[in-house]
């Protein structure tokens, strides 16, 4: 019993000190690898020059990932005062991320539709809108519960996990599977696997950590993961079935 009691706190301390920092590094690795697949051909040297806003968005996006790692490292080093002090800079950066995310999504959808004459720009627009919203809502809740560390850090992880959808989407060519389009369930599964399976796995890892060490899953994951799954299902259904209500909405947005 004594040995067991001695081991348990050390496990808890190890998890508290390293888990979220390691998850921040994992998210950064996903983002770097994912975007490295397309950054050369679609940003730096594309056949058709991209709108300047895309460069601004990319810079702010990677800045946010670095900031997330910094904040996790400060907590790991027990420098909570610095973590809180620069946290308000993070709020401003997150607001900038949201505004840039929405505006870049619209700009690129218009670019894809009118300049590149790409197929299904409306689908990409909805996916982008969902991704940035899935980031913004947990982040806003994390700020609201900033004085409750158990909620705050989990909500921050949830919001940053949502951002990896764009990176996971570059692991495999999402819309280069024309055969799958003739089979709607297969096509829906292909989109989910490409975009959202990785996001959900990141959250499941965090939930598994809670279950293994705390013997229960924290409410953030109990509510957050089903909410993500429900919204992903809604997005997939809308994209796969080309829902008329969304096509009309997208056309009104894109002009």
């Amino acid at each position: 019993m004594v040995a067991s009691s001695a081991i348990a706190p050390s496990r808890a301390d190890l998890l508290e000190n390293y888990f979220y920092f390691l998850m921040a590094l994992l998210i950064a690795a996903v983002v770097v690898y994912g975007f490295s697949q397309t950054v050369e051909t679609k940003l730096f040297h594309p056949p058709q020059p991209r709108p300047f806003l895309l460069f601004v968005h990319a810079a702010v996006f990677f800045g946010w990932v670095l900031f997330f790692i910094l904040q996790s490292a400060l907590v790991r080093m027990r420098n909570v005062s610095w973590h809180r002090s620069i946290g308000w800079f993070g709020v401003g950066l997150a607001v900038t991320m949201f505004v840039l995310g929405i505006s870049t999504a619209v700009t690129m959808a218009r670019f894809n539709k009118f300049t590149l004459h790409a197929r299904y720009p409306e689908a990409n627009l909805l996916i982008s809108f969902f991704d940035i919203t899935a980031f913004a809502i947990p982040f806003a809740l994390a700020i609201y519960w900033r004085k409750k560390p158990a909620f705050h850090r989990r909500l921050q992880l949830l919001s940053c996990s949502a951002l990896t959808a764009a990176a996971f989407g570059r692991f495999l060519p999402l819309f280069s599977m024309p055969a799958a389009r003739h089979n709607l369930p297969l096509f829906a599964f292909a989109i989910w696997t490409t975009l959202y399976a990785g996001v959900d796995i990141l959250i499941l890892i965090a939930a598994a950590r809670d279950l293994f060490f705390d013997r229960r899953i924290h409410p953030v994951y109990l509510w957050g993961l089903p909410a993500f799954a429900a919204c992903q299902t809604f997005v997939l259904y809308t994209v796969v079935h080309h829902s008329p209500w969304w096509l009309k909405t997208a056309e009104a947005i894109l002009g």
Side-chain angles (χ1 to χ4, degrees), residues 149-176:
F151 281 82
H152 177 76
R153 58 174 169 257
R154 288 173 174 85
L155 285 164
Q156 289 282 32
L157 180 61
L158 207 65
S159 68
C160 287
S161 296
L163 290 178
T164 61
F168 280 118
R170 287 160 171 78
F171 280 33
L172 295 171
L174 176 58
F175 291 115
S176 65

Side-chain angles (χ1 to χ4, degrees), residues 186-224:
L186 176 61
F187 184 53
F189 180 75
I191 298 177
W192 178 80
T193 302
T194 306
L195 285 175
Y196 297 128
V199 175
D200 295 344
I201 288 172
L202 290 175
I203 301 171
L204 281 171
I205 291 172
R209 171 264 167 214
D210 282 3
L211 186 62
F212 184 80
F213 289 100
D214 300 338
R215 299 297 184 263
R216 68 182 185 90
I217 299 176
H218 194 275
V220 166
Y221 302 137
L222 277 178
W223 288 93

